[in-house]
């Protein structure tokens, strides 16, 4: 699993990259009450705003961690946003994307580096 400074995690499954927010981010946001996901088939560039989440504390945008195409979204969290708090690195994933070159993941933080980053 890899991590961004925006508190997203990325996991490769088959040839797709699954994206969600970290447990740390979930805890910082508090109870998530709304999630708006992108359309499947959307081409995104790194740092495009792709997901809107609202919690009891704030509204936040989730940015595309990489260039690629959104190929699947997790509709379950639209119907039950609390899944993001309950299992942020499992059932609370946001979307799957297809990217051209998986080696770009090497530039992201591993778990040890992320733990140091969040202190």
């Amino acid at each position: 699993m890899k991590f961004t400074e925006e508190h997203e995690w990325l996991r490769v499954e088959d040839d797709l990259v699954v994206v969600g927010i970290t447990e740390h981010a979930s805890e910082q946001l508090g109870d998530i009450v709304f999630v708006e996901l992108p359309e499947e088939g959307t081409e995104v560039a790194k740092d495009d705003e792709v997901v809107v989440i609202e919690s009891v504390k704030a509204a936040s945008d989730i940015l595309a961690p990489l260039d690629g195409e959104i190929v699947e979204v997790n509709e379950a969290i639209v119907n039950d946003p609390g899944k993001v708090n309950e299992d942020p690195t499992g059932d609370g994933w946001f979307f799957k994307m297809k990217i051209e070159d998986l080696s770009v993941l090497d530039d992201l933080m591993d778990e040890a580096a992320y733990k140091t980053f969040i202190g």
Side-chain angles (χ1 to χ4, degrees):
M1 191 176 288
K2 295 290 189 171
F3 299 88
T4 71
E5 291 183 358
E6 288 73 34
H7 307 287
E8 296 162 317
W9 57 261
L10 294 82
R11 180 178 58 233
V12 176
E13 287 182 5
D14 299 321
D15 61 342
L16 300 176
V17 178
V18 184
V19 179
I21 61 170
T22 65
E23 189 171 326
H24 173 77
S26 170
E27 289 171 2
Q28 295 297 309
L29 287 166
D31 292 338
I32 295 173
V33 295
F34 174 81
V35 177
E36 181 181 313
L37 297 171
E39 295 282 325
E40 292 177 359
T42 303
E43 293 282 343
V44 296
K46 183 179 184 310
D47 296 333
D48 282 354
E49 296 171 357
V50 291
V51 175
V52 176
I53 55 177
E54 292 180 13
S55 71
V56 293
K57 292 184 178 177
S60 303
D61 294 318
I62 302 298
L63 307 179
L66 305 165
D67 296 344
E69 177 185 358
I70 306 294
V71 294
E72 186 177 342
V73 297
N74 186 1
E75 294 288 347
I77 62 171
V78 173
N79 298 325
D80 184 4
K83 284 183 183 293
V84 177
N85 294 113
E86 293 165 12
D87 192 10
T89 58
D91 290 342
W93 62 277
F94 287 158
F95 57 87
K96 296 180 181 179
M97 58 188 306
K98 186 172 187 169
I99 64 173
E100 293 214 4
D101 181 5
L102 290 173
S103 71
V104 296
L105 294 169
D106 295 340
D107 295 336
L108 300 174
M109 291 182 277
D110 61 17
E111 187 168 357
Y114 180 72
K115 284 184 176 177
T116 300
F117 175 73
I118 61 175

